[in-house]
Amino acid sequence: MHFQLTEDQRALRDGTRALLAGRFGRQALRAAVDCEGSSPALDRELWRELGAAGLFGLCLPEESGGVGLGLAEAVLVFEECGRALVPGPLVATFLAAGEVPGAASGETVVTAPYNGLVPWLDAADLVRGDAAGAEPLTAPVDPLTPLHRLPGGDRTRPPWQATLLYAAEQLGSAGRTLGMAVQHAREREQFGQPVGAFQAVKHLCAEMLVRVEVARAAVYAAAVTGDPVEVAAAELLADEAAVQGARDCLQVHGGMGFTWEGDVHLHLKRAWTRAELAGRARDAEETLAASL
């Protein structure tokens, strides 16, 4: 079997990356993070542009106004969204396309409660699920993901498709922090040579690369098979690649990685948040154990 991306898939990935770089590049990311106010505002214009580009309707049939592609292509697109740290309830809106009017076009913002948390509740036009009594978190981990917590400790897991798309976003974030670490290791000099020449830094970058590529194989495979057990494995590997990768990237950057103007900590905080929304690691481990 041929496991390489097709020419069309590569074009979709590259086109999505170019779109997000132009529409939500670093300047827009920093503007969103640094804006004043108790809660970030969802960029409705960006949301409609994503809808017009076919992001939310990617898996809908063409006769229904969609693009007619599959989950394998959706994973590539969400990987790029994770790489760019695009804010908003992307996963819930994507899964609502075809059922909720306006979701596919980006006119309707949809959110859903996952694992006792509801992202972007105040900005959503529709909530798919019961969010009654949800209380806002006054200090969410990620400055670009406002959260509400459901009362009673409700831990209803998201559907496996949502978990897979979160894993794809984690994969994109892990790939981005790997690139940031390698670039810094090449450019930053200490004692007359790039810090990447030191063995400890080499090891950190090499370990990041291994985690990214292992997670990539698992996420892509789960997108093809749709097997919930493989999705659970992809979730665990992608979460590890994103969270540990961001931590290692911080180490490569040294003290600069911890400053507010750096982007590394944004990837770490988003990775923590996605891991909580997608499902507890223990649940995924139990799914894998039950299949053995």
Side-chain angles (χ1 to χ4, degrees):
M1 296 180 66
H2 185 62
F3 291 104
Q4 297 297 320
L5 297 181
T6 67
E7 183 177 347
D8 288 342
Q9 288 172 330
R10 288 194 296 270
L12 175 65
R13 179 198 60 194
D14 296 344
T16 302
R17 182 174 299 187
L19 169 66
L20 295 177
R23 188 56 181 81
F24 195 74
R26 187 175 189 275
Q27 185 175 356
L29 171 64
R30 297 308 314 189
V33 171
D34 298 334
C35 69
E36 296 182 359
S38 58
S39 182
L42 187 67
D43 188 339
R44 291 282 184 150
E45 183 179 351
L46 171 62
W47 211 252
R48 287 190 289 269
E49 288 183 28
L50 294 177
L55 187 149
F56 301 119
L58 196 69
C59 292
L60 291 181
E62 294 184 36
E63 56 268 23
S64 300
V67 184
L69 298 178
L71 269 178
E73 287 75 24
V75 158
L76 296 177
V77 170
F78 273 77
E79 182 181 351
E80 295 304 317
C81 290
R83 177 185 177 87
L85 288 177
V86 178
L90 294 165
V91 172
T93 302
F94 176 88
L95 295 179
E99 299 179 15
V100 175
S105 65
E107 295 294 331
T108 302
V109 178
V110 182
T111 190
Y114 293 148
N115 288 301
L117 296 171
V118 191
W120 291 93
L121 180 60
D122 291 337
D125 302 308
L126 178 71
V127 181
R128 299 186 82 194
D130 185 7
E135 295 289 337
L137 296 184
T138 56
V141 173
D142 177 13
L144 288 182
T145 309
L147 294 170
H148 282 65
R149 186 180 296 279
L150 296 177
D154 181 5
R155 301 290 299 189
T156 302
R157 294 203 70 192
W160 67 264
Q161 295 92 340
T163 299
L164 176 62
L165 295 177
Y166 277 125
E169 287 188 289
Q170 295 283 61
L171 174 61
S173 182
R176 178 63 183 134
T177 54
L178 168 62
M180 294 166 66
V182 170
Q183 180 180 359
H184 185 80
R186 288 172 172 168
E187 296 176 353
R188 179 69 173 175
E189 292 189 0
Q190 290 289 338
F191 307 108
Q193 59 183 328
V195 297
F198 299 107
Q199 189 175 45
V201 176
K202 289 180 181 179
H203 286 176
L204 284 175
C205 292
E207 289 167 359
M208 291 173 68
L209 174 62
V210 170
R211 285 193 296 266
V212 168
E213 292 306 319
V214 171
R216 188 188 311 281
V219 172
Y220 286 7
V224 172
T225 65
D227 184 345
V229 174
E230 295 196 9
V231 172
E235 175 192 351
L236 288 171
L237 291 168
D239 283 350
E240 180 186 20
V243 173
Q244 190 59 49
R247 286 174 169 169
D248 287 348
C249 186
L250 282 172
Q251 293 298 319
V252 172
H253 279 76
M256 290 187 296
F258 289 88
T259 58
W260 184 247
E261 61 268 21
D263 295 342
V264 183
H265 75 284
L266 297 176
H267 280 276
L268 178 57
K269 291 175 179 178
R270 184 69 63 85
W272 278 334
T273 301
R274 288 197 205 100
E276 190 68 18
L277 287 168
R280 293 177 296 179
R282 180 176 178 179
D283 292 335
E285 291 166 352
E286 291 293 339
T287 297
L288 290 172
S291 69
L292 296 178

